[in-house]
Amino acid sequence: MVAIADSVPKPTARFRFILDRRDVFGSLMVAPAILYVLLLVGVPLLMAVYYSLSAYTIYNPSWRFVGLSNFIDIVNNPVFRQTLYNTFIFTFGSQILGLVLGKFGALLLLRPFPGRKLVRALIILPWAVPIALATVAWEWMFDSLYSVINWTLIALGIVTRSNAPNWLGTPHLAMLCVIVVNAWRFFPFAIVIFLAGITAIPQDVLDAATIDGAGFWRRNYQIIMPMILPIVAVGLIFGFVFTFTDLSIVFLMTMGGPVGATSVLGFAGFQTGINSGDVSHGAAISLFMLPVLLVVVVAMLRFIRRREI
Amino acid sequence: MAAVSTRNIVKKFGELAAVNGISLDVPNGEFMVLLGPSGCGKTTFLRIICGLEQQTSGDLLIGGDIVNDVPPRARGVAMMFQSYGLYPHFSVRHNIAFPLRTQRVPGAEINKKVAWAAQLLGIDHLLDRRPRQLSGGERQRVALARALVREPTALLLDEPLSNLDAKLRAFARQEIKQFQQRVGVTTIYVTHDQVEAMGMGDRIAVIDHGQVRQVGTPSEIYDNPADRFVAAFVGAPPMNIVARNGGYLGFRPENFLPKDMIKDAAFTEFKFRVDRSEYLGSERIVYGALEGFDPKQVITAKLPPAHVADEWIRPGEWHLFAVRNSALRHFDDDGKRRSRL
């Protein structure tokens, strides 16, 4: 047998195809997102936790550990309890109002009519307009002197100039105003969610319900609503989290007033921690949102899982 | 008395007439199949009967009453959809009970009827499941139970077998047919599948371009097609139709035989050039062209059992074939069947 020298296998450069490896390339692609979350969410969160357990103020930047005393302070403070209550009212009020408006809007937009595409595009506007601009516009509509709402009510003879409502100056009305503005901002999102859900229902199911004798209401509440509930719940989680932590509308329109009637957690945390410089108490107020949101989100996610069909 | 009858029903979508004047009588207890290619208007016609669409003109009678303006729920018809349209968030029990609940039937009565329908279709053991936990065949039975539970005047089925795999389809075909015979409910069944139509229908209405081309029993449709459309649509492979003497001549592939096989009757002879031969196990189908006719027109022949296995007919060869005169069908140049010559 003639032995022919085997050609020596040439090793491929070890790192030449490194980017073809799924684990390496995948990690590389995810790295920026992980870094971003760690640096811009993780670090501030840890800092907030530490601040809330310390006696840190901008006048006395000490890192002295004080345990849970900041939390005990704020819970004992009736103003904070009012703020917590306000936050729930603000969140639930605007979510419910937004959902109702969203459902109606979605039902209207499902029916074909001339110009529907234009309306569908325009309906997104409240969501797309910068929040500061929109809020300033609303502020003028609720203004004590220049309110177009009041002008209209006076012109219609429903109220007189002397007993016209002072929208932003009366505690309950002010809360109503911030709820309305937030619902106005939220309802295009709700419409999109409802439209997505309703159009995903197979036509056969709706036709079957019609032939089985279900009228408009029964179709809506026994067929459509239960079927889109998981999607709506996901939308609601987003809405809930964003509203619960929101401070912009309150900050721009009422500054928490009158006498704290519209103060919400995000706003109070900002006022105490940044504007007043009491960083430790501000951090404690902000961190208070965490367990509340955690409970709500976990509960809703479990609900969605159970409803999955 | 006709359970369902229509008088010149027309349905237009804009300029397009999806249903273009259908008049049809479906007697009590009949299994009527609406057969036609996709887009021929058969589903639209069915949706008009159940009230999901409103006809542009024409009258619809159910149980002898004109129901043009009666809403779907009051028409007393039940419909089973192509993808069944089961309510995914309800249990099977609740699905079947739904049509009764909407009519505010008392609870005890509902339980009794649901049990009856479930037992009828053999789905008692599935009552507490959700639709997604069921197989295709089981879903179909649930949909049937839901349709039947309120004892409709007519049962409308819209391509109910198209979501099943081929094996299950053959089984379901037989099951639906037997079931319909046992219950005796008037049934209108829409399909584009001629095997379903031939195998299940008491009568078949062949529909094309929104019009009924022929109504008749499966054998009438197959043996005596009213026009070229019916002749070419029903049968697999379809009837061979060749132009001759200003009209058309049609003959089914299974009647197009080697000449020496026909001895007992008058026949017409053709010279057949074989182009391609397909062996399908139980049959052999041969494709080719006829001498003296359009050479591009493909003529099919289904060879009799004796010739299936041996390959004495090979591509490229010319053979003498013939059709018994009794098996020839003549059509006018406008496609209508000509009275026998």
Side-chain angles (χ1 to χ4, degrees):
Chain A
M1 199 170 83
V2 182
I4 298 173
D6 284 333
S7 61
V8 180
K10 205 169 90 193
T12 321
R14 196 172 159 198
F15 293 109
R16 194 167 153 209
F17 295 112
I18 189 101
L19 285 184
D20 285 308
R21 281 171 54 187
R22 201 181 154 80
D23 48 344
V24 175
F25 189 67
S27 317
L28 211 65
M29 287 288 114
V30 186
I34 290 180
L35 269 180
Y36 172 85
V37 170
L38 282 182
L39 289 178
L40 293 177
V41 178
V43 173
L45 181 72
L46 290 179
M47 283 175 74
V49 170
Y50 188 76
Y51 283 139
S52 70
L53 301 173
S54 75
Y56 191 102
T57 66
I58 56 169
Y59 314 108
N60 178 19
S62 81
W63 293 86
R64 190 165 55 83
F65 182 76
V66 295
L68 292 175
S69 73
N70 290 328
F71 287 97
I72 295 168
D73 286 349
I74 59 166
V75 171
N76 285 332
N77 184 348
V79 175
F80 172 78
R81 292 204 298 268
Q82 173 70 36
T83 299
L84 188 63
Y85 173 77
N86 287 347
T87 311
F88 276 104
I89 296 288
F90 175 60
T91 306
F92 281 112
S94 53
Q95 293 304 297
I96 291 170
L97 190 59
L99 282 181
V100 171
L101 288 176
K103 179 81 202 295
F104 271 107
L107 283 181
L108 289 176
L109 286 177
L110 274 173
R111 311 180 69 89
F113 59 87
R116 180 168 72 155
K117 280 190 176 153
L118 186 70
V119 175
R120 272 196 186 186
L122 289 180
I123 207 94
I124 296 296
L125 272 183
W127 208 24
V129 165
I131 175 77
L133 291 181
T135 309
V136 169
W138 277 102
E139 200 180 347
W140 280 103
M141 290 205 278
F142 290 132
D143 189 89
S144 54
L145 276 179
Y146 303 105
S147 164
V148 288
I149 299 170
N150 282 358
W151 291 354
T152 311
L153 291 177
I154 291 167
L156 290 175
I158 295 171
V159 297
T160 62
R161 193 168 295 281
S162 54
N163 67 4
N166 183 357
W167 295 103
L168 297 178
T170 320
H172 285 108
L173 286 182
M175 178 53 91
L176 184 69
C177 289
V178 289
I179 287 177
V180 164
V181 175
N182 200 41
W184 173 81
R185 241 170 76 74
F186 172 67
F187 93 95
F189 177 67
I191 287 184
V192 171
I193 294 280
F194 276 115
L195 276 180
I198 294 173
T199 46
I201 296 178
Q203 189 60 38
D204 272 6
V205 173
L206 298 177
D207 285 346
T210 307
I211 292 182
D212 283 347
F216 175 79
W217 296 106
R218 197 187 284 270
R219 259 201 321 275
N220 253 294
Y221 291 102
Q222 290 187 7
I223 307 293
I224 295 178
M225 283 305 273
M227 283 182 76
I228 64 174
L229 211 54
I231 296 179
V232 171
V234 171
L236 208 53
I237 289 180
F238 277 98
F240 190 89
V241 170
F242 287 141
T243 310
F244 202 81
T245 56
D246 185 72
L247 63 89
S248 47
I249 291 174
V250 167
F251 188 86
L252 289 161
M253 206 157 73
T254 65
M255 274 296 195
V259 283
T262 58
S263 173
V264 290
L265 283 180
F267 177 75
F270 181 76
Q271 285 293 70
T272 312
I274 308 295
N275 283 352
S276 315
D278 186 357
V279 178
S280 55
H281 283 100
I285 292 173
S286 303
L287 279 182
F288 217 88
M289 296 192 260
L290 200 64
V292 176
L293 290 178
L294 208 62
V295 168
V296 171
V297 170
V298 167
M300 291 189 82
L301 284 177
R302 288 183 62 136
F303 168 78
I304 294 170
R305 272 186 82 88
R306 216 152 32 82
R307 290 294 310 216
E308 209 96 299
I309 40 178
Chain B
M1 187 192 66
V4 176
S5 67
T6 67
R7 308 267 161 79
N8 203 17
I9 295 265
V10 174
K11 173 71 184 177
K12 286 188 173 163
F13 294 107
E15 283 298 293
L16 182 84
V19 175
N20 200 359
I22 294 186
S23 299
L24 199 63
D25 284 312
V26 186
N28 254 331
E30 185 176 67
F31 197 116
M32 165 70 86
V33 177
L34 307 182
L35 174 68
S38 44
C40 72
K42 56 194 190 301
T43 295
T44 307
F45 181 59
L46 202 67
R47 289 172 68 88
I48 289 170
I49 295 176
C50 68
L52 288 172
E53 303 275 358
Q54 177 77 35
Q55 67 268 35
T56 312
S57 66
D59 285 331
L60 170 66
L61 288 82
I62 295 176
D65 301 319
I66 293 187
V67 293
N68 295 345
D69 300 314
V70 176
R73 63 190 159 86
R75 291 193 179 189
V77 297
M79 181 148 164
M80 190 172 131
F81 293 87
Q82 195 165 358
S83 52
Y84 313 137
L86 296 178
Y87 311 124
H89 55 297
F90 287 163
S91 64
V92 167
R93 184 192 308 280
H94 201 144
N95 260 285
I96 300 175
F98 190 76
L100 300 174
R101 288 184 189 213
T102 62
Q103 295 176 330
R104 300 205 166 74
V105 175
E109 180 87 11
I110 290 181
N111 291 338
K112 223 168 72 190
K113 286 198 167 171
V114 169
W116 166 78
Q119 190 257 330
L120 201 63
L121 285 144
I123 48 172
D124 317 57
H125 57 296
L126 305 173
L127 283 177
D128 293 313
R129 298 216 197 146
R130 293 276 180 88
R132 78 180 152 98
Q133 297 166 306
L134 306 177
S135 70
E138 287 167 343
R139 279 178 209 184
Q140 191 198 13
R141 291 186 197 190
V142 173
L144 255 184
R146 184 179 65 181
L148 284 162
V149 73
R150 56 187 172 142
E151 297 167 60
T153 319
L155 175 62
L156 313 179
L157 303 160
D158 184 9
E159 309 231 359
L161 304 185
S162 54
N163 281 351
L164 300 179
D165 60 53
K167 213 169 171 183
L168 201 53
R169 203 177 301 166
F171 177 70
R173 210 157 57 212
Q174 184 190 1
E175 205 180 52
I176 289 182
K177 177 68 183 169
Q178 284 178 352
F179 174 79
Q180 190 268 344
Q181 281 171 339
R182 203 169 58 210
V183 182
V185 60
T186 311
T187 303
I188 302 179
Y189 185 107
V190 159
T191 183
H192 64 269
D193 182 338
Q194 48 166 310
V195 179
E196 286 173 23
M198 300 291 283
M200 299 168 81
D202 293 331
R203 283 196 304 156
I204 298 173
V206 182
I207 297 179
D208 180 47
H209 286 96
Q211 286 177 317
V212 175
R213 306 301 284 259
Q214 184 175 6
V215 184
T217 62
S219 68
E220 282 167 6
I221 298 277
Y222 190 79
D223 292 333
N224 289 308
D227 59 22
R228 280 180 60 199
F229 174 81
V230 177
F233 188 72
V234 179
M239 186 180 265
N240 297 303
I241 296 173
V242 294
R244 197 178 72 169
N245 301 340
Y248 295 92
L249 189 63
F251 48 92
R252 298 233 170 247
E254 65 269 28
N255 295 329
F256 186 52
L257 301 166
K259 186 194 147 199
D260 50 11
M261 293 196 62
I262 304 176
K263 296 190 176 83
D264 51 342
F267 58 83
T268 306
E269 202 176 274
F270 298 94
K271 239 184 141 188
F272 183 50
R273 187 195 69 222
V274 180
D275 293 335
R276 195 155 60 86
S277 168
E278 262 175 11
Y279 172 66
L280 301 176
S282 64
E283 57 192 35
R284 180 182 290 278
I285 298 179
V286 179
Y287 303 85
L290 298 183
E291 189 187 60
F293 294 92
D294 178 2
K296 288 202 192 71
Q297 188 181 0
V298 177
I299 302 294
T300 48
K302 203 189 245 180
L303 295 190
H307 291 295
V308 168
D310 58 339
E311 289 194 52
W312 65 270
I313 293 180
R314 291 198 194 81
E317 295 175 348
W318 287 90
H319 286 276
L320 267 186
F321 269 59
V323 184
R324 280 186 189 88
N325 286 349
S326 59
L328 285 174
R329 299 289 175 262
H330 304 269
F331 301 95
D332 281 330
D333 55 352
D334 63 355
K336 288 266 175 283
R337 179 80 186 276
R338 194 182 291 172
S339 49
R340 217 147 285 170
L341 290 175

